[in-house]
Amino acid sequence: MPEARGPAGLNGEAHTRYAPGTPCWVSLMVHGLTATQEFYGELFGWTFRPGPHQLGPYARALLDGREVAGIGQLPPDRHLLVAWTPYLASDDVDTTAETVRLSGGTIGVGPLDAADAGRLAIGSDPVGAVFGIWQATAHLGTGITGVHGTPAWNELLTFESASVVKFYETVFGYRREAVVADDFDYVTLNVAERPVAGVHGLGNALPRDRGPHWMTYFQVDDVDEAVARVVGLGGRLLAPARDGAHGRVATVADPEGARFALMRGPR
């Protein structure tokens, strides 16, 4: 496996170091920080503590004392799309950011230091999907996975996979593995023979109001129950729960419109 593991709480899987290219953190920038914390606290059982404030007010979400995600507040004058952003691990964020630029992507934020936690940059790929880059020091990233309320998978939703996969291979050194199926454009991005993320080409089915974007999947104990909780807390159901080869999945949005998926692996 590409990262070292430590003792796990909550019967989950604890992480201590992520290999370059592996999604290691997810973060959400919103307009109402307190209300968003209440929503995800009720949905996933998260508690919060303050994090680095380089990008404004920011809190880290915790499960059993382990950090699982971040939520920050947008400046009042910034009317940006509210969306979950995955951070991909790097041993040298400055070099990775330069490779992003040279490969046709853009860097919108950084590279900059986040106190003693690490160094980050936020960029976009050639088709506009936003992602982060994280070089860890004190903050290694998501501290536990495999239990309710933790990130389980990250997937790029785009028009077609072929051209953009080349970008991610160049920047992060992934090895691609295509899913061979009629009318299904899907590529898995692998690190050290382990799948770490996916690229799904949707063609004209890609939401026009979003364009290419990364989608974060969160593990839950019961997808249908979690969907009902999302709706009860003021969120929306975007795609009903369905069963597939990798378990049961539903797509939802929080009250500010940030889209994410809920999933439970095969029983």
Side-chain angles (χ1 to χ4, degrees):
M1 305 295 272
E3 65 262 10
R5 303 293 165 89
L10 294 173
N11 297 315
E13 190 170 53
H15 296 259
T16 57
R17 176 67 66 176
Y18 287 85
T22 308
C24 62
W25 187 246
V26 291
S27 188
L28 177 65
M29 301 297 291
V30 299
H31 299 286
L33 183 57
T34 299
T36 301
Q37 287 177 312
E38 291 174 354
F39 172 85
Y40 286 100
E42 289 289 334
L43 178 61
F44 292 141
W46 291 351
T47 58
F48 296 89
R49 69 179 173 210
H53 288 180
Q54 273 71 11
L55 300 178
Y58 190 82
R60 289 181 181 154
L62 308 176
L63 276 177
D64 195 32
R66 295 183 181 272
E67 296 172 341
V68 294
I71 300 177
Q73 183 161 326
L74 289 165
D77 59 342
R78 297 295 297 275
H79 301 290
L80 300 175
L81 194 67
V82 175
W84 280 100
T85 300
Y87 281 72
L88 309 176
S90 171
D91 287 339
D92 185 335
V93 70
D94 294 81
T95 298
T96 302
E98 183 61 22
T99 306
V100 167
R101 295 188 185 98
L102 293 173
S103 303
T106 61
I107 296 294
V109 176
L112 58 84
D113 291 323
D116 63 348
R119 190 163 173 79
L120 68 88
I122 301 173
S124 58
D125 63 27
V127 294
V130 176
F131 62 93
I133 308 165
W134 182 253
Q135 179 182 341
T137 49
H139 173 63
L140 298 175
T142 300
I144 185 172
T145 57
V147 296
H148 180 89
T150 59
W153 185 247
N154 287 279
E155 188 172 275
L156 173 60
L157 305 180
T158 187
F159 292 108
E160 54 87 24
S161 66
S163 59
V164 75
V165 165
K166 182 63 177 175
F167 166 83
Y168 287 98
E169 285 179 318
T170 301
V171 175
F172 294 104
Y174 297 125
R175 184 185 65 80
R176 74 172 73 187
E177 183 176 346
V179 174
V180 180
D182 292 338
D183 301 322
F184 188 61
D185 178 10
Y186 197 95
V187 173
T188 299
L189 303 177
N190 293 352
V191 171
E193 306 306 316
R194 175 175 178 258
V196 297
V199 180
H200 192 181
L202 294 174
N204 292 330
L206 185 72
R208 295 293 175 175
D209 61 334
R210 290 278 158 160
H213 62 283
W214 281 90
M215 173 79 76
T216 296
Y217 289 65
F218 289 95
Q219 177 79 21
V220 293
D221 292 333
D222 185 312
V223 171
D224 298 272
E225 181 180 300
V227 166
R229 187 173 288 268
V230 165
V231 174
L233 292 168
R236 292 181 295 132
L237 174 64
L238 301 178
R242 64 196 184 279
D243 294 310
H246 300 290
R248 190 163 178 80
V249 178
T251 305
V252 296
D254 69 20
E256 287 205 18
R259 301 181 179 203
F260 59 100
L262 303 165
M263 72 173 294
R264 178 181 173 87
R267 294 179 184 273

